[in-house]
Amino acid sequence: MDLAYVCEWERWPKSTHCPSVPLACAWSCRNLIAFTTDLRNDDQGSRLLSADADGQIKCWSMADHLANSWESHVGSLVEGDPIVALSWLHNGVKLALHVEKSGASSFGEKFSRVKFSPSLTLFGGKPMEGWIAVTVSGLVTVSLLKPSGQVLTSTESLCRLRGRVALADIAFTGGGNIVVATADGSSASPVQFYKVCVSVVSEKCRIDTEILPSLFMRCTADLNRKDKFPAITHLKFLARDMSEQVLLCASSQTSSIVECWSLRKEGLPVNNVFQQISPVVGDKQPMILKWRILSATNDLDRVSAVALPKLPISLTNTDLKVASDTQFYPGLGLALAFHDGSVHIVHRLSLQSMAVFYSSAAPRSADEPAVKRSRTTGPAVHFKAMQLSWTSLALVGIDNHGKLSMLRISPSMGHTLDVSLALRHLLFLLEYCMVTGYDWWDTLLHVQPGMVQSLVEKLHEEYTRQNAALQQVLSTRILAMKASLCKLSPCTVARVCDYHAKLFLVAVSSTLKSLLRPHFLNTPDKSPGDRLTEVCAKITDADIDKVMINLKTEEFVLDMNTLQALQQLLQWVGDFVLYLLASLPNQGSPLRPGHSFLRDGASLGTLRELMVVIRIWGLLKPSCLPVYSATSDTQDSMSLLFRLLTKLWTCCRDEGPASEPDEALVDECCLLPSQLLIPSLDWLPVSDGLVSRLQPKQPLRLHFGKAPALPASASALQLDGLIRAPGQPKIDHLRRLHLGAYPTEECKTCTRCGCVTMLRSPNKTTAVKQWEQRWIKNCLCGGLWRRVPLSYP
């Protein structure tokens, strides 16, 4: 493991440490981190639950779908009863990740859906949203969110004899039940388990509880050591959908011990007397549930925090031997933080050490006994809350000084791996993110510039092996993933612009085609958009008017106001076609944005279809046409561009290697700058995030609430023409509207690609609102939005 960056508060008192304040931390699958400190708190997630010492539970959601703006409208209260455990109800979605099949061609073999029932369902089987919490007095409270916005809340005791609950955790079973584990904090007391069933009866929430087998920690059974670890400090299920495996940690003032337990079904032996009366045969033998210890550590330094993996790798108890020998996969490890400032990654079942990180400057041997380590005066800086990312390739920790530290966890766990095997690990996790829709930022932490080309090619190769339906579902996601990867290498950074342009082109094409309506509503024929694609593919004539007459132009009739409102999008199409054709003579330069389009028959075909649509709409509303600055007043710019575009498209329309454009086409494209003014397209910022600037062994130091002043990366320096200098006019990348050098309208920007757009819509037309609704929750690339402050000179 190595440190990627540290983020600290601007005015944090240097002498302050908070040994008595418990901290909380959570990491969402969209790579947003929520955490608390004793100074202030910061809530981030897609939807977030928070609870406090007064029994107040709040459900937070993004205001205007902005990652840095949150609001709470619903919640529940168990007055005066502090919450010790809190969880969303399970939605029934569970995916199994098969590491042993990482070389399979089908995503269905690598990632399979596991049968798992939601905690509660609505009519039709739709999972019901809600949350469950456990209080310090032994109460369990459940709140259900109805589609109408109403909240149904019910509170019950976990058992008849209520007692103090110092620690608790919540897990779910495949049958839709909930399992709650509790401990009173003393290792001399049993760890109790309860089954909780939630239902809705007569529009009221009902809770039924049942006691399950309990356990005593193994360390208390040794008479010589039963008083050595008096307190249970950590109680965690290994996964929220793995209620049969639990991790326990008992501690003293100076040391800790960790145990892993598993719940098994075992046959109940029948006395010989009863065997003679009624012999037990085969499956009729009575079975009981019993906790069995899987593994335990030796004496460790005092554990301060535990983080469990979220990667759904299926493991059975028989996997222990395999895992202990050669399998060092990141998702198999859990993290233990210690009071001496160190962090250990251990196998989640065998508890064997897999990787070690020390926060101090002087590294220490992992084999050095904890009792022999010299102790400094005063409390050491250590993590009080930790979370692993959803691919287990990164770890975030909040220390007792309130600082946030981001650690990279190597896929090899410190072991020597062949380059091809390391690439396969990263490729497998990128595929997992692509299939699930999870954010892949933590995977990018491990991609070196020399890996980018191979990863992009292998990712595309695996994508093309999937069936057509799955390819269509993942088509935009893989483009966004390729763009993120290409930002990390100076050799591929120009492709970032191409991938974003392709995403925009796909979105514009699908939106404009959706506006077309058949002349007769009951026609069983193809949609106008499908017919447009078919005709344009069949008619290869370079004359735009000859292609147009083969279409049913009455299907393209739209309201005049709608056509005028679409002018900015139509202008982008026209400008982009002109830019591509003008750049054809310079096609030998791969660093020039737009290079990949010149050999992309599918994208050129889409542009050709849109040019035909624009031509037809121009007959209805001439003011909606793209505006070109031509040297001749009599020149038909649309016809000229369509003719050149068709010639370029015919060179690469067929599958297989594209043929080189003829010299006549190149010569005509060379003349374009003398005939038309070539627009300077507004490309998205390149390498504007932290990932491309993180270097091994050189952690960054950041401050909360303050934009990092980071040096430009080598990738950005090679494309100075694409980066906007301060004071240069800005543009709304989605609406294609100019905002000026210092916009007066509130804007939001994408946390992934840097796309900027206005927060409030200035348009009233239905068609434009339809376009804008596509980007309410997420950016074009799938990234999250965040509000940006107004900039002034």
Side-chain angles (χ1 to χ4, degrees):
M1 285 185 290
D2 67 294
L3 184 64
Y5 66 81
V6 176
C7 198
E8 53 193 357
W9 300 103
E10 192 71 26
R11 296 182 178 85
W12 186 275
K14 298 298 181 185
S15 60
T16 299
H17 65 275
C18 41
S20 61
V21 178
L23 303 184
C25 180
W27 193 323
S28 81
C29 63
R30 303 172 87 177
N31 278 329
L32 288 178
I33 298 169
F35 65 97
T36 62
T37 71
D38 67 335
L39 181 67
R40 63 183 88 179
N41 59 54
D42 186 273
D43 294 319
Q44 292 192 12
S46 177
R47 199 182 234 183
L48 186 69
L49 283 177
S50 67
D52 58 25
D54 295 325
Q56 179 96 13
I57 301 174
K58 290 186 177 181
C59 176
W60 301 82
S61 58
M62 292 182 184
D64 295 323
H65 305 285
L66 299 172
N68 58 348
S69 182
W70 291 80
E71 57 188 3
S72 173
H73 296 299
V74 295
S76 59
L77 175 67
V78 186
E79 193 168 357
D81 207 351
I83 306 297
V84 293
L86 180 65
S87 175
W88 292 103
L89 296 180
H90 205 286
N91 61 3
V93 177
K94 184 179 179 182
L95 200 68
L97 189 146
H98 304 287
V99 179
E100 71 281 1
K101 296 182 179 179
S102 59
S105 60
S106 171
F107 287 165
E109 295 180 50
K110 301 177 185 181
F111 321 107
S112 61
R113 183 77 176 264
V114 178
K115 187 177 180 181
F116 208 90
S117 298
S119 304
L120 199 64
T121 57
L122 295 166
F123 179 77
K126 182 181 178 181
M128 193 170 191
E129 290 186 308
W131 59 84
I132 179 173
V134 180
T135 71
V136 75
S137 68
L139 294 177
V140 58
T141 178
V142 175
S143 296
L144 305 176
L145 298 175
K146 297 189 67 178
S148 61
Q150 181 185 1
V151 180
L152 303 179
T153 301
S154 180
T155 303
E156 292 289 342
S157 176
L158 281 171
C159 61
R160 293 181 180 178
L161 298 176
R162 287 171 59 188
R164 177 177 179 269
V165 176
L167 301 167
D169 199 18
I170 301 166
F172 302 88
T173 68
N177 295 322
I178 305 167
V179 177
V180 175
T182 65
D184 63 5
S186 171
S187 61
S189 302
V191 179
Q192 303 279 3
F193 295 86
Y194 306 91
K195 183 170 76 172
V196 179
C197 301
V198 182
S199 57
V200 176
V201 180
S202 302
E203 291 297 311
K204 292 183 179 180
C205 179
R206 175 177 171 178
I207 302 174
D208 296 300
T209 62
E210 177 186 331
I211 299 177
L212 297 175
S214 58
L215 66 87
F216 282 92
M217 289 192 68
R218 173 65 62 86
C219 63
T220 62
D222 188 344
L223 296 178
N224 297 324
R225 301 199 308 165
K226 70 174 187 176
D227 297 326
K228 186 173 181 180
F229 304 102
I232 297 179
T233 53
H234 297 88
L235 164 62
K236 299 278 187 182
F237 286 106
L238 286 187
R240 71 188 302 256
D241 48 16
M242 194 181 293
S243 59
E244 65 278 0
Q245 291 174 345
V246 68
L247 188 81
L248 300 169
C249 176
S251 305
S252 65
Q253 289 294 325
T254 58
S255 57
S256 297
I257 189 170
V258 178
E259 297 177 357
C260 184
W261 290 74
S262 179
L263 185 64
R264 302 177 181 176
K265 278 187 177 182
E266 296 185 356
L268 185 65
V270 180
N271 191 282
N272 291 334
V273 175
F274 297 105
Q275 281 274 23
Q276 296 172 3
I277 299 173
S278 177
V280 176
V281 181
D283 297 336
K284 294 184 179 180
Q285 182 180 6
M287 306 292 287
I288 61 169
L289 292 173
K290 197 166 186 178
W291 287 100
R292 293 291 186 185
I293 190 166
L294 288 176
S295 55
T297 64
N298 297 322
D299 292 7
L300 306 168
D301 234 336
R302 182 175 169 84
V303 174
S304 60
V306 177
L308 296 169
K310 304 180 182 70
L311 207 59
I313 300 176
S314 299
L315 277 184
T316 61
N317 298 336
T318 57
D319 293 324
L320 283 175
K321 183 182 293 186
V322 177
S324 62
D325 293 337
T326 58
Q327 187 64 276
F328 292 97
Y329 207 75
L332 300 179
L334 59 90
L336 300 176
F338 298 91
H339 274 255
D340 66 351
S342 65
V343 178
H344 289 217
I345 303 293
V346 299
H347 192 275
R348 66 183 186 183
L349 293 183
S350 69
L351 300 181
Q352 293 183 1
S353 180
M354 300 169 71
V356 180
F357 169 79
Y358 286 107
S359 61
S360 59
R364 291 173 285 187
S365 171
D367 300 326
E368 182 184 353
V371 293
K372 290 187 178 180
R373 294 177 185 165
S374 59
R375 304 187 186 282
T376 57
T377 57
V381 177
H382 59 271
F383 291 149
K384 296 190 65 178
M386 292 191 307
Q387 281 284 318
L388 282 163
S389 71
W390 284 68
T391 62
S392 293
L393 291 180
L395 172 74
V396 66
I398 315 299
D399 64 28
N400 52 334
H401 286 186
K403 290 188 297 185
L404 181 148
S405 299
M406 181 66 67
L407 305 179
R408 280 182 284 228
I409 303 176
S410 170
S412 65
M413 288 292 177
H415 298 265
T416 304
L417 278 185
D418 182 70
V419 176
S420 60
L421 186 57
L423 280 173
R424 196 177 76 180
H425 279 350
L426 292 175
L427 178 65
F428 185 55
L429 293 174
L430 286 172
E431 291 170 352
Y432 172 69
C433 292
M434 184 164 61
V435 169
T436 58
Y438 294 167
D439 189 83
W440 52 87
W441 178 88
D442 48 335
T443 309
L444 299 181
L445 289 173
H446 301 272
V447 178
Q448 300 301 319
M451 299 179 178
V452 171
Q453 182 70 27
S454 296
L455 278 175
V456 170
E457 290 176 357
K458 290 181 181 296
L459 195 65
H460 181 75
E461 182 182 335
E462 293 297 324
Y463 168 78
T464 54
R465 290 181 179 179
Q466 312 310 311
N467 60 62
L470 185 57
Q471 285 189 34
Q472 185 175 2
V473 171
L474 303 178
S475 59
T476 56
R477 202 172 291 165
I478 190 174
L479 287 175
M481 188 172 284
K482 288 179 180 178
S484 299
L485 286 168
C486 288
K487 280 187 179 183
L488 305 179
S489 171
C491 299
T492 56
V493 69
R495 295 193 211 167
V496 178
C497 304
D498 289 12
Y499 289 131
H500 280 291
K502 191 170 293 186
L503 283 170
F504 195 79
L505 174 61
V506 170
V508 170
S509 175
S510 61
T511 299
L512 296 186
K513 288 180 180 179
S514 68
L515 296 176
L516 307 180
R517 295 289 183 267
H519 189 58
F520 300 104
L521 295 180
N522 59 349
T523 53
D525 202 357
K526 297 178 181 178
S527 68
D530 293 336
R531 274 197 295 272
L532 171 67
T533 302
E534 184 179 319
V535 169
C536 289
K538 183 178 179 181
I539 308 298
T540 59
D541 201 296
D543 188 336
I544 191 172
D545 294 324
K546 290 183 179 179
V547 177
M548 186 177 65
I549 60 176
N550 287 277
L551 295 168
K552 299 178 180 179
T553 52
E554 62 271 12
E555 296 177 341
F556 293 78
V557 176
L558 293 180
D559 179 72
M560 297 296 110
N561 293 331
T562 299
L563 290 177
Q564 189 61 49
L566 295 172
Q567 201 277 331
Q568 283 81 13
L569 297 181
L570 307 185
Q571 182 71 49
W572 179 86
V573 173
D575 287 347
F576 191 62
V577 170
L578 175 55
Y579 172 85
L580 289 180
L581 293 172
S583 63
L584 181 61
N586 299 320
Q587 58 182 311
S589 172
L591 287 178
R592 187 179 179 88
H595 172 78
S596 65
F597 277 90
L598 301 177
R599 293 290 182 273
D600 187 351
S603 296
L604 293 176
T606 301
L607 287 170
R608 191 167 173 267
E609 294 168 15
L610 295 181
M611 292 287 282
V612 174
V613 174
I614 293 172
R615 181 73 162 191
I616 297 174
W617 285 347
L619 299 176
L620 301 173
K621 182 79 172 177
S623 60
C624 78
L625 287 170
V627 177
Y628 298 104
S629 299
T631 55
S632 172
D633 294 337
T634 59
Q635 179 175 275
D636 188 346
S637 301
M638 286 282 293
S639 296
L640 171 64
L641 294 178
F642 184 84
R643 180 169 57 81
L644 298 178
L645 180 63
T646 300
K647 290 183 177 180
L648 180 59
W649 168 68
T650 54
C651 296
C652 51
R653 59 177 297 207
D654 299 323
E655 294 184 3
S659 60
E660 290 295 323
D662 56 40
E663 292 185 6
L665 173 59
V666 175
D667 291 343
E668 285 191 86
C669 291
C670 286
L671 295 175
L672 278 177
S674 63
Q675 298 170 310
L676 297 168
L677 179 64
I678 309 301
S680 57
L681 292 185
D682 191 283
W683 303 100
L684 289 175
V686 290
S687 301
D688 54 347
L690 287 179
V691 175
S692 58
R693 293 171 168 85
L694 294 176
Q695 301 295 328
K697 311 301 181 185
Q698 296 178 6
L700 297 175
R701 187 168 294 275
L702 310 171
H703 290 86
F704 289 109
K706 186 177 180 181
L710 299 174
S713 65
S715 302
L717 292 176
Q718 297 206 18
L719 289 171
D720 289 335
L722 306 182
I723 304 173
R724 184 181 288 102
Q728 196 173 348
K730 298 178 176 61
I731 193 171
D732 186 318
H733 290 109
L734 296 182
R735 298 182 177 91
R736 311 309 303 177
L737 296 173
H738 292 277
L739 303 176
Y742 303 99
T744 57
E745 294 290 330
E746 276 194 307
C747 293
K748 57 185 180 181
T749 183
C750 175
T751 57
R752 181 184 288 167
C753 70
C755 175
V756 176
T757 187
M758 284 184 289
L759 188 58
R760 309 297 175 198
S761 172
N763 298 295
K764 305 297 182 184
T765 311
T766 304
V768 179
K769 285 185 176 181
Q770 176 186 339
W771 167 258
E772 294 172 343
Q773 283 294 323
R774 297 170 65 106
W775 324 117
I776 288 292
K777 293 184 178 180
N778 297 94
C779 173
L780 189 71
C781 68
L784 294 171
W785 295 113
R786 65 178 177 87
R787 189 193 305 267
V788 291
L790 294 175
S791 56
Y792 298 98

